Amino acid sequence: MEITAPLASFRNAPIACLFLLTFPLNQARASQLSLLPEAPAILEKIYSFDLEGAQEAAKQMQKERPDHPLGYLLESDALWWRFWCTAADFKYGMSDARRRSKLPADQHYLELATTASSLASTQLQRNESVEMQLYAGLADAAAARLYALRGENRNAARFGVRAREHFLRAKALDPSLADADFGLGLYNYYVDTLSAMAKILRFFMGIPGGSKQEGIRLLDHAIADGVLTPNIARFYLAMNLHRYDQQYERALNTISPLAEKYPTNPLFQLARGDLYAKLGRKQQALLCYRAAAALPAHDADCQARIQQLARAAMTALGLPQEPATP
């Protein structure tokens, strides 16, 4: 499973990542992370962009395993990508979800995150495990990312603090846990990109600093060894290398495996096209943009937004806009 938690900066949706702090951890017993057998198929649907199918399969998991948080987390993940899609705009030569207002669908999403958090917390009270600490952290991070996307920084920070505590405890139980390194890696990366004003606020709030180098190392660990987060770690590492560091070739090499593994995901195609464009490879960018525009999204609003993003990207490069035949 791969739960997305785009926690970025005070300027952007992912403010909550400021609270996923890395501290020295004592070595403790290791715990092998495992997934419910239904999870891999649902993940494939999510990353293949069959979000409707993924949501229905996650609901079925909830019916069969009502006391397990994973089904609720998976459904929230499917919803998140739809939110990301419809919130995205094309600025600065890249498509990205930056900010949006509240929507009616948000309530169900937040209820899923609350349910997953409550179920994980209940099991932790009975018997602590690395899985439930991780799921509890992912549930709180799921809430934080939506509040952050909506610009509700106080709520994002509050849930980010809770997520941080669970991720750190999961790492204390299993220091090799790569999936926790996804959240901690984002913190280290983003805290090094904060504006001067945000860094002043961080100082007065007593939040430790971080470094991009350490963040990239932790994200690479999640990509290489994670069970829950390798794909989303790869996606956000590519986006951040593009957005903050202008390391376009490295970002392209990072996103390309996702675009190739999941050719029906239009967001991966757009991200790859943007990087080709920044590198001056216009014809390759055009192929990606046309592919994204031609892919069915199974959601009218999302599909319309993808086509709008592809048109804006092609216009920015002076490219023809006729979509390729599916």
Side-chain angles (χ1 to χ4, degrees):
M1 173 193 131
E2 301 194 12
I3 296 293
T4 62
L7 308 172
S9 69
F10 280 111
R11 180 189 63 82
N12 207 332
I15 181 178
C17 201
L18 288 173
F19 301 93
L20 303 181
L21 310 180
T22 51
F23 295 113
L25 298 172
N26 295 326
Q27 296 292 318
R29 61 181 177 85
S31 177
Q32 180 62 42
L33 189 65
S34 61
L35 294 178
L36 296 177
E38 307 94 321
I42 299 175
L43 283 171
E44 287 299 301
K45 288 180 182 294
I46 290 173
Y47 287 96
S48 297
F49 221 66
D50 179 7
L51 303 181
E52 183 177 352
Q55 191 173 359
E56 290 305 312
K59 288 179 179 178
Q60 184 61 34
M61 181 186 287
Q62 295 165 25
K63 291 180 182 179
E64 295 174 356
R65 304 173 187 272
D67 296 330
H68 200 289
L70 186 54
Y72 305 92
L73 288 171
L74 286 167
E75 185 184 355
S76 73
D77 214 39
L79 286 174
W80 173 254
W81 283 104
R82 185 175 288 114
F83 291 172
W84 200 102
C85 176
T86 55
D89 58 14
F90 183 79
K91 291 181 180 178
Y92 318 115
M94 69 183 298
S95 294
D96 199 358
R98 296 176 172 87
R99 186 63 56 85
R100 74 157 171 79
S101 59
K102 295 180 181 180
L103 294 176
D106 294 357
Q107 184 60 37
H108 179 57
Y109 175 92
L110 292 172
E111 288 171 356
L112 290 169
T114 298
T115 299
S117 176
S118 177
L119 290 173
S121 296
T122 297
Q123 295 197 40
L124 286 170
Q125 291 173 5
R126 297 171 181 166
N127 182 33
E128 186 175 30
S129 68
V130 67
E131 288 93 342
M132 290 302 144
Q133 288 290 359
L134 187 62
Y135 292 152
L138 291 170
D140 290 333
R145 66 187 175 187
L146 178 58
Y147 286 126
L149 183 63
R150 300 191 324 197
E152 298 177 31
N153 293 343
R154 182 169 296 182
N155 280 333
R158 180 163 59 92
F159 281 92
V161 168
R162 285 172 41 171
R164 163 198 174 258
E165 293 170 354
H166 289 297
F167 287 135
L168 289 175
R169 182 57 188 163
K171 285 286 288 183
L173 293 171
D174 183 356
S176 67
L177 185 65
D179 294 295
D181 282 343
F182 166 62
L184 298 173
L186 283 181
Y187 165 78
N188 269 273
Y189 188 97
Y190 286 129
V191 77
D192 207 15
T193 67
L194 294 176
S195 67
M197 179 59 68
K199 287 181 178 179
I200 292 172
L201 291 173
R202 177 184 62 77
F203 174 79
F204 284 109
M205 293 171 69
I207 301 171
S211 73
K212 289 182 181 180
Q213 292 75 15
E214 177 65 5
I216 291 172
R217 185 189 71 79
L218 293 169
L219 289 169
D220 281 337
H221 185 213
I223 292 169
D225 297 327
V227 176
L228 306 179
T229 59
N231 283 346
I232 193 58
R234 183 179 290 279
F235 177 75
Y236 277 99
L237 178 57
M239 295 292 284
N240 294 335
L241 290 171
H242 181 169
R243 182 192 302 117
Y244 294 110
D245 291 332
Q246 295 78 52
Q247 294 188 30
Y248 304 134
E249 193 72 51
R250 184 175 182 182
L252 178 62
N253 291 335
T254 302
I255 197 67
S256 288
L258 282 183
E260 291 165 5
K261 184 177 181 181
Y262 300 105
T264 57
N265 189 316
L267 302 183
F268 297 162
Q269 296 297 332
L270 288 173
R272 194 183 197 188
D274 291 342
L275 288 161
Y276 277 133
K278 288 289 177 65
L279 290 164
R281 303 172 195 173
K282 291 189 175 184
Q283 289 307 309
Q284 290 166 294
L286 177 60
L287 290 175
C288 290
Y289 292 144
R290 285 181 166 176
L295 288 169
H298 307 292
D299 179 279
D301 291 339
C302 182
Q303 186 161 20
R305 181 57 59 90
I306 289 166
Q307 292 173 350
Q308 177 186 359
L309 294 169
R311 287 194 300 269
M314 288 187 281
T315 297
L317 285 181
L319 295 170
Q321 298 186 26
E322 297 81 1
T325 302

